[in-house]
Amino acid sequence: QVQLVESGGGLVQPGGSLRLSCSASESIFSPSAMGWYRQAPGAQREMVATITSGGTTNYVDSVKGRFTISRDNAKNTVYLQMNSLKPEDTAVYYCRYWNGTGSRTYWGQGTQVTVSS
């Protein structure tokens, strides 16, 4: 059973930055993808950013130019650098790790990000 451990959430003022990290206990998929999703109160979970083991990235339009996803394959770790944070970025952020087709997937426990003055 792969475990995903997230860190880096917290409270930040609008315009501030945070960096999320997610480490997988082992690498069992090849190829694979990792990513970040978020869920605000009363809303559905949405994809924020994803990255494949080959380095291909994808972002939701609302974070393009502000967030950057990166990955260290040797450490089975994915990062999300979040800059110019807005109140609407407030949500629980979840890490996901899955195989190339998405038929098998693992989720982290979530980390709270709150953007407020």
Side-chain angles (χ1 to χ4, degrees):
Q1 181 79 1
V2 177
Q3 294 190 357
L4 302 178
V5 179
E6 300 148 335
S7 61
L11 173 64
V12 64
Q13 292 186 342
S17 298
L18 283 175
R19 188 191 194 212
L20 305 182
S21 299
C22 171
S23 294
S25 58
E26 57 182 310
S27 176
I28 63 171
F29 300 138
S30 180
S32 68
M34 298 186 79
W36 292 94
Y37 291 67
R38 66 187 179 187
Q39 188 167 18
Q44 290 189 332
R45 189 173 297 188
E46 67 168 350
M47 185 276 292
V48 177
T50 64
I51 185 167
T52 68
S53 49
T56 300
T57 59
N58 187 35
Y59 297 90
V60 67
D61 285 346
S62 60
V63 308
K64 287 180 179 177
R66 300 189 297 122
F67 291 10
T68 302
I69 190 169
S70 60
R71 179 172 178 172
D72 186 333
N73 289 329
K75 296 181 179 180
N76 302 326
T77 299
V78 64
Y79 306 96
L80 186 67
Q81 178 66 44
M82 305 186 292
N83 298 328
S84 302
L85 282 160
K86 304 175 180 180
E88 50 264 44
D89 294 317
T90 295
V92 178
Y93 284 69
Y94 296 91
C95 176
R96 181 189 177 202
Y97 171 57
W98 67 99
N99 64 355
T101 63
S103 60
R104 293 180 63 190
T105 192
Y106 293 91
W107 289 95
Q109 79 285 355
T111 185
Q112 177 70 46
V113 172
T114 302
V115 185
S116 174
S117 56

